Amino acid sequence: NFMLTQPHSVSESPGKTVTISCTRSSGSIASNYVQWYQQRPGSSPTTVIYEDNQRPSGVPDRFSGSIDSSSNSASLTISGLKTEDEADYYCQSYDTNNEVFGGGTKLTVL
Amino acid sequence: QVQLQESGPGLVRPSQTLSLACTVSGGSISSADYYWCWIRQPPGKGLEWVGYIYYTGSTYYNPSLKSRVTISVDMSKNQFALNLTSVTAADTAVYYCAREDSSGWIDYWGQGALVTVSS
C-alpha cells in the first residue's frame, strides 16, 4: 500500500499564489493519474483537477496541476487567490490494488 | 446530468450492520466505463475509501475494512448498496456514494448521508 502525504494547512493572502503538495510514499507518482478535490464545509467534494493537470469545465484557469517525478509528488497551484478558494483540498490516486486519498490540506485565505 | 442519492438509517446501534443504498439517475449503473464507489468522512476528518463495485460485480474494498464490508449492485433498480457489519463508534461518518471513471477520476458525488453509531 502507498500513502499520499499533504501539508495539514496552508495560508496565503488574496491575490497571491499558493501551492499544495501531495507526495506519494511508494511507487511512481507518474504511474497513475492524480486528482484534486475541493471541499467546502458542509458540502460534497468537487473536482478541481483530474488526470494530473486537466480542469473540468467550470473550474477557472487559476487552478493548475502538475506532477514531479524527481520528488515523487503532485502539486495543486492556485493563483490570484480569492476568499472563495478557502476550503479543504484532497489529492487522490490509485494503483492496481489500492485507492488512496491524501489526508487533506486546509487552505486559509486571509 | 448524473445524480447519486444515498438513503438509509441515520442511526445504527453498536455491533449492528450499517446498510446504505445509492440510487443513480441520469446514467446507467451497467455502464462499462465506471466504478461505483463508497467513500466516508468521519466528523472533522479526511476522506476515506470504503470500496467500489464494477458492473461485472467485481469489487475493491479498503484493506482496513475488508472483513466487514460488502458492496452489491441491483441493476433493476439502478442502485448499489453498502453493508458494513459489526459497527462501532469509529464508523460514525458521512458516507458518500460516487462514480469513478477509468482514469480514477471521481466525477460525481452524492450529497452524503450522516450515519451515527450509538446506543
Side-chain angles (χ1 to χ4, degrees):
Chain A
N1 292 9
F2 70 94
M3 296 190 306
L4 297 172
T5 300
Q6 301 179 231
H8 181 68
S9 63
V10 295
S11 62
E12 191 48 272
S13 303
K16 300 291 190 180
T17 296
V18 70
T19 297
I20 300 171
S21 62
C22 172
T23 302
R24 181 164 171 158
S25 63
S26 61
S28 171
I29 192 73
S31 296
N32 308 99
Y33 287 122
V34 176
Q35 279 67 233
W36 290 91
Y37 304 95
Q38 176 192 70
Q39 187 180 33
R40 296 190 174 102
S43 296
S44 303
T46 61
T47 309
V48 291
I49 294 290
Y50 70 98
E51 294 180 4
D52 297 340
N53 54 20
Q54 303 298 302
R55 279 188 312 276
S57 61
V59 173
D61 60 6
R62 302 185 297 105
F63 290 81
S64 62
S66 63
I67 61 168
D68 179 357
S69 295
S70 66
S71 60
N72 213 35
S73 64
S75 294
L76 171 68
T77 298
I78 311 170
S79 60
L81 275 169
K82 300 184 177 184
T83 55
E84 67 202 47
D85 299 330
E86 186 162 293
D88 294 326
Y89 291 86
Y90 295 90
C91 59
Q92 174 246 334
S93 191
Y94 58 95
D95 66 14
T96 306
N97 299 312
N98 297 285
E99 296 266 9
V100 179
F101 285 105
T105 299
K106 181 176 180 60
L107 169 62
T108 302
V109 182
L110 18 82
Chain B
Q1 177 78 342
V2 174
Q3 292 185 317
L4 297 94
Q5 178 67 57
E6 304 89 353
S7 58
L11 178 65
V12 181
R13 305 301 183 192
S15 80
Q16 300 300 303
T17 296
L18 181 160
S19 296
L20 292 171
C22 180
T23 302
V24 180
S25 57
S28 174
I29 204 165
S30 62
S31 170
D33 295 329
Y34 302 105
Y35 299 82
W36 303 97
C37 312
W38 288 101
I39 295 157
R40 71 181 186 177
Q41 186 171 36
K45 296 188 178 180
L47 300 169
E48 179 184 30
W49 275 99
V50 176
Y52 65 66
I53 190 165
Y54 192 47
Y55 82 106
T56 58
S58 65
T59 54
Y60 161 79
Y61 298 137
N62 184 326
S64 69
L65 301 171
K66 190 171 185 176
S67 63
R68 300 192 292 128
V69 173
T70 303
I71 298 175
S72 58
V73 65
D74 186 337
M75 301 284 192
S76 67
K77 296 181 179 178
N78 220 37
Q79 281 184 349
F80 60 107
L82 168 68
N83 275 2
L84 180 66
T85 62
S86 304
V87 297
T88 69
D91 296 309
T92 294
V94 174
Y95 285 77
Y96 294 101
C97 61
R99 187 182 85 168
E100 182 184 26
D101 78 1
S102 56
S103 72
W105 175 25
I106 303 167
D107 56 356
Y108 288 98
W109 299 70
Q111 66 183 26
L114 174 62
V115 179
T116 302
V117 178
S118 174
S119 56

